[in-house]
Amino acid sequence: MTAFKACVARHWPVLRLRTILLGTLLFVAALPGLGAIFLRVYENALVRRTEAELVAQGAALAASAAVVGRGLPMQPSPPVPDRYHEHTTEVDLRSSPVLPPRPPARVTPLRVDPVTIALAWRMMPAFQETKVTTLASILMLDRQGILINGREAGRSLAALPEVRAALAGRAVTVLRENDGYAPAHPLEWLSRAAGIRLHHARPIVVDGKVIGVILVSRSPRALFLGIYEDRGKIALGVAAIFAMLVLLSAILSRAIVRPIEALSRATRELASGRHVAARRPTLQVVEIRALHEDFERMAESIGKRSRYLREFASAVSHEFKTPLAGISGAVELLQDHGADMAEADRERFLANVAADSRRLSQLVGRLMELARADVMVGEADARASVAGVLASVADALGGSGFAVVLDLPEDLPPVAVEAGALEVVLATLAQNARQAGAARLGIAVSVEGGEALIDLVDDGPGVPEGDRDRIFDPFFTSKRAQGGTGLGLAIARSLLGAHGGVLLLLPSERGAHFRIGCPVAG
């Protein structure tokens, strides 16, 4: 199977979507025609139509013979009650057996029934007129199965199964090979019915007795002759199908192919750095519309990420430039004037170099933490006890001058966040509150709609109105002089986002009010 798949993949042509759609529609449209030819649907209908004609013809002739026969002598039986029934077709090209050609009639010592001979002579004009019109072979047999007319008159066909059934009072139709058939066209092999002949045997019943048999036979209408006779309807159907194919192809092209091509062009533009919105199709398809929406979200996300990277690179450059400039200037002064410099000045410059070096080291460490938080994907089975994590943070950060007050409900469910990540977030917010000058931090927990909400409210100076929109931006800090890097809140928000949580700054009359939203563990 692997080798077959590899072979198919190696030889499979790369086609346009329009070609595949048109080919599929053409194949589906051709299925009824293929079924009509190869599944014998149409040809079988022609054969059954021929059988129905033979049945009607035989029934009419047998009924006429019965009427004429009632005027002959030696028929003392009482009249037969009327029999109304519909004769259903019996033959089927797919299941009915095809018997060998009809064998020659056998010589028999029996004598033909004279009553049947008289009946045959009276019916012969009707036989001739019917044969001229229907082109069917019409033979009449007596009650012993002996032929009365035709080239083999006086011989017996009583051994044939259809004749035996008719002599028993049952009309039957059989399929036999046509020994006189000679193919005239190369495509006649498609028609199975071309080389067969239908034989219908029907009893002649007078006063409840079978006095003879009508045997009619005819070749079915040829497949291609039937197609030729119905050429107008077939041509109209083909034209209607092709018109529908053109319409469907146009609809599929406008609804599927063109939108995909527009998305392809927009993707190439996006890859080159230019964002061009893909034109929405006029004929909406749910999947294509969803694809456009997903592309727009992806383009928006890529744009935000690109802006973030540009701003991040600019901020990193700015943050690194200041300590590097200080280190570079101090080293240059020490190299040029170190020997002549006073010991106190030299120590001061070395202390500045050490401080700038520590700040660089701290920045690098925090940047690594932010990078890990940005690419972090939370574990699917992560669980953390909110009460346990809050108790640990309160014990670690609470003390003289700073109180952490917890308000926890009973039966608090675990959250789907790693305990370490939640502890880092809570510790960051508590540290920020203490560094801002707050003396009290209240932490309240509630559960709403499958989400645990952790509200942290301090009594510090709060966040200035002008800084509220920038407080989560990397490197934004109001404590730069105290060694702040401005990465703590950015790291906290990324850690929560990796687990499906959120970190928000809510309005408050006094102090700062942060809210952590975490999904409850299932």
Side-chain angles (χ1 to χ4, degrees):
M1 182 59 70
T2 303
F4 174 75
K5 290 181 179 179
C7 180
V8 171
R10 189 165 53 251
H11 295 91
W12 183 264
V14 181
L15 303 174
R16 294 181 64 86
L17 183 57
R18 284 191 178 92
T19 305
I20 296 176
L21 291 175
L22 181 60
T24 303
L25 292 175
L26 285 173
F27 177 75
V28 172
L31 281 179
L34 296 175
I37 295 176
F38 292 101
L39 299 181
R40 316 293 182 189
V41 177
Y42 182 67
E43 189 174 28
N44 205 43
L46 294 177
V47 171
R48 290 189 171 185
R49 185 192 304 176
T50 303
E51 181 193 7
E53 293 172 358
L54 286 179
V55 169
Q57 181 179 335
L61 292 175
S64 300
V67 171
V68 173
R70 286 196 180 95
L72 297 175
M74 300 177 65
Q75 304 294 334
S77 302
V80 178
D82 292 335
R83 303 181 306 276
Y84 296 101
H85 66 277
E86 182 180 359
H87 183 91
T88 58
T89 55
E90 300 176 357
V91 298
D92 192 320
L93 285 177
R94 292 166 293 189
S95 59
S96 298
V98 179
L99 304 178
R102 187 172 70 191
R106 298 177 181 179
V107 178
T108 177
L110 300 176
R111 296 175 59 86
V112 180
D113 184 7
V115 175
T116 312
I117 293 178
L119 176 61
W121 279 107
R122 294 187 180 187
M123 291 297 301
M124 203 58 64
F127 290 171
Q128 294 295 333
E129 290 297 326
T130 304
K131 185 175 181 179
V132 169
T133 303
T134 64
L135 303 179
S137 170
I138 305 174
L139 299 176
M140 186 171 176
L141 298 84
D142 70 356
R143 59 188 173 188
Q144 305 170 92
I146 301 175
L147 284 167
I148 299 176
N149 64 324
R151 295 192 305 269
E152 297 179 300
R155 298 190 176 192
S156 175
L157 289 178
L160 297 183
E162 58 268 31
V163 174
R164 288 200 305 269
L167 291 175
R170 184 166 55 89
V172 295
T173 305
V174 297
L175 298 177
R176 289 188 176 274
E177 296 178 2
N178 188 357
D179 53 356
Y181 166 71
H185 304 287
L187 293 178
E188 287 195 14
W189 64 271
L190 293 172
S191 174
R192 185 188 178 195
I196 64 174
R197 190 172 179 87
L198 280 82
H199 296 256
H200 179 70
R202 193 170 195 91
I204 302 174
V205 180
V206 176
D207 295 331
K209 295 181 179 180
V210 177
I211 66 169
V213 174
I214 295 292
L215 182 61
V216 290
S217 62
R218 203 185 90 182
S219 298
R221 186 170 302 173
L223 174 65
F224 295 103
L225 177 60
I227 293 176
Y228 177 76
E229 291 177 349
D230 294 334
R231 62 188 181 277
K233 292 181 285 186
I234 294 176
L236 180 62
V238 170
I241 289 173
F242 271 97
M244 183 60 67
L245 283 179
V246 172
L247 177 62
L248 288 176
S249 299
I251 293 174
L252 291 174
S253 177
R254 293 185 65 87
I256 297 177
V257 179
R258 289 187 182 179
I260 291 178
E261 291 176 347
L263 279 177
S264 179
R265 289 192 297 270
T267 303
R268 290 193 295 270
E269 293 291 334
L270 186 63
S272 64
R274 298 185 300 271
H275 175 45
V276 178
R279 185 178 178 182
R280 291 293 187 96
T282 54
L283 298 179
Q284 294 286 333
V285 178
V286 173
E287 290 79 6
I288 297 298
R289 183 174 60 188
L291 186 60
H292 271 266
E293 293 172 353
D294 292 341
F295 174 81
E296 291 173 358
R297 283 195 291 268
M298 181 192 70
E300 183 180 358
S301 177
I302 290 175
K304 288 181 178 179
R305 179 61 63 176
S306 298
R307 290 191 299 272
Y308 172 79
L309 290 176
R310 287 194 299 269
E311 295 171 358
F312 185 80
S314 176
V316 168
S317 174
H318 176 75
E319 292 293 327
F320 275 58
K321 185 182 295 183
T322 301
L324 284 175
I327 292 173
S328 177
V331 170
E332 185 178 351
L333 285 174
L334 290 173
Q335 286 176 343
D336 293 342
H337 307 287
D340 302 331
M341 192 177 295
E343 185 66 22
D345 293 336
R346 188 165 47 249
E347 291 296 333
R348 180 165 53 85
F349 282 117
L350 289 174
N352 290 339
V353 169
D356 289 335
S357 177
R358 285 192 299 272
R359 177 164 179 77
L360 284 175
S361 179
Q362 184 182 14
L363 282 171
V364 170
R366 298 296 275 175
L367 285 173
M368 292 180 64
E369 292 177 13
L370 178 61
R372 285 194 295 268
D374 277 342
V375 299
M376 181 181 180
V377 178
E379 297 291 337
D381 56 350
R383 297 172 68 91
S385 171
V386 178
V389 174
L390 285 174
S392 176
V393 172
D395 290 340
L397 298 178
S400 59
F402 185 73
V404 179
V405 181
L406 303 181
D407 181 11
L408 307 180
E410 296 181 359
D411 300 328
L412 188 62
V415 294
V417 180
E418 294 178 6
L422 182 58
E423 185 173 354
V424 169
V425 174
L426 291 169
T428 299
L429 295 174
Q431 286 278 17
N432 287 351
R434 187 167 65 176
Q435 291 174 1
R440 183 183 183 277
L441 175 63
I443 303 179
V445 183
S446 60
V447 178
E448 295 180 6
E451 186 179 26
L453 303 178
I454 306 175
D455 289 283
L456 298 91
V457 182
D458 62 45
D459 59 354
V463 181
E465 191 65 31
D467 296 341
R468 299 181 69 88
D469 295 335
R470 305 170 53 199
I471 193 170
F472 293 105
D473 293 346
F475 302 109
F476 176 78
T477 178
S478 58
K479 300 292 187 295
R480 194 176 304 278
Q482 288 78 27
T485 60
L487 296 174
L489 290 177
I491 294 173
R493 173 173 273 189
S494 295
L495 286 174
L496 286 174
H499 294 84
V502 294
L503 176 59
L504 305 172
L505 174 63
L506 301 182
S508 59
E509 297 180 358
R510 183 186 177 194
H513 182 183
F514 288 91
R515 170 172 289 178
I516 297 173
C518 300
V520 173

